[in-house]
Amino acid sequence: DEASKLSELGIYACDEGVAVSFGKGKTFFLHEVFFVTKDFLSENLTKALLNTKSIATFDIKRCYDYIGEYRPAMFDCEILAYLIDPLKGDYNSADVAERYISRYTKPYKEAVNDKIYYSCLCAENAILCKDVLLSEVKKLGMDKLFFDIEMPLSFVLYSMEKEGVLVDKKALEVYSDRLSTSIDKLEK
C-alpha cells in the first residue's frame, strides 16, 4: 500500500531483475531468483505502480515487462536527452547525469559490466535527471512531441519487438524488384 502513495520513482530492468529508486541513495535491486520470477515481479510491480505519479527510466522498452503498458506518468530520460541533443548519438545514464546534473559516477564502460550496479545507477539517475531534462524539452517546445508521440510510440515499438510483425513477403519482393530497377536507371 505504501507504493500506491509514491509520487515518483526511477526504474531500470536488466536480464537479472529490476532496479527501483526512490531518490539518491534510496535504490534497491529486485533479483529474479527462485520463486521471484519475472512474472512475479511484473505482476506485483505493475499493481504497486498504478497510482505512482511519475516513473522515470532510461530505455523504457527494457522496463515494460515489469511495469505494464505505457501510461502518461512514464518518462524515458533517454528519449528526453535525444530530443534535447539529437546529434549526440549516445544517451547512457552516466553521460546524461554528468552532463545535465553534474553527477559523476563510474564511467559507462566500467559500470555496464556490473549489471546490478548499472541497473541501480540507471534507476537512480533517471529519477534525478527527469525534471531537468523535461524542463529543457519544454524550453525547446518539444514537450508535445515527447508526450503525444515519442512515449506512446515506445510501447508500440516494444510490442513489435516482442511479438514481431506480419510481413507480406510477395509484396516486399515486388517492391524490391521495383526499387532495384529504379536504382539501375539512376546509376546509368
Side-chain angles (χ1 to χ4, degrees):
D1 191 40
E2 283 298 309
S4 66
K5 298 175 188 171
L6 294 174
S7 64
E8 63 182 358
L9 61 86
I11 191 165
Y12 188 83
C14 72
D15 57 358
E16 294 182 23
V18 62
V20 178
S21 179
F22 300 97
K24 192 173 184 177
K26 299 175 189 168
T27 304
F28 58 94
F29 189 82
L30 302 170
H31 209 286
E32 289 178 30
V33 61
F34 303 117
F35 70 92
V36 182
T37 64
K38 181 181 257 184
D39 290 339
F40 175 84
L41 289 173
S42 175
E43 181 181 328
N44 288 287
L45 273 173
T46 301
K47 284 182 206 172
L49 301 177
L50 276 177
N51 297 317
T52 303
K53 292 180 186 171
S54 171
I55 300 168
T57 188
F58 278 85
D59 192 3
I60 197 161
K61 290 187 296 179
R62 290 178 159 276
C63 300
Y64 281 130
D65 281 343
Y66 294 97
I67 60 179
E69 293 185 8
Y70 168 73
R71 299 182 299 284
M74 295 178 179
F75 299 85
D76 188 332
C77 292
E78 196 170 308
I79 294 172
L80 287 166
Y82 165 77
L83 290 174
I84 295 165
D85 187 2
L87 300 177
K88 185 174 183 305
D90 186 17
Y91 306 96
N92 70 71
S93 82
D95 289 348
V96 171
E98 183 176 331
R99 180 174 181 184
Y100 292 100
I101 62 171
S102 300
R103 183 172 195 218
Y104 303 96
T105 59
K106 277 186 189 177
Y108 169 74
K109 288 182 181 183
E110 288 178 35
V112 77
N113 291 325
D114 181 347
K115 290 179 184 179
I116 294 173
Y117 171 81
Y118 185 69
S119 296
C120 290
L121 178 68
C122 288
E124 196 167 293
N125 281 344
I127 197 170
L128 298 174
C129 290
K130 181 198 68 122
D131 290 336
V132 173
L133 294 170
L134 188 56
S135 175
E136 288 296 313
V137 165
K138 285 180 180 179
K139 284 180 195 171
L140 294 169
M142 290 194 281
D143 47 323
K144 192 165 178 60
L145 171 65
F146 176 74
F147 288 111
D148 295 348
I149 298 184
E150 293 288 352
M151 287 306 299
L153 182 59
S154 70
F155 188 74
V156 172
L157 294 173
Y158 157 80
S159 298
M160 289 172 65
E161 289 172 11
K162 188 171 175 99
E163 302 298 327
V165 291
L166 184 60
V167 175
D168 184 341
K169 186 178 177 184
K170 184 68 177 164
L172 279 178
E173 288 170 353
V174 169
Y175 181 67
S176 175
D177 291 342
R178 280 196 339 230
L179 204 53
S180 293
T181 303
S182 297
I183 290 170
D184 288 343
K185 285 180 185 177
L186 288 172
E187 288 178 341
K188 291 178 183 178

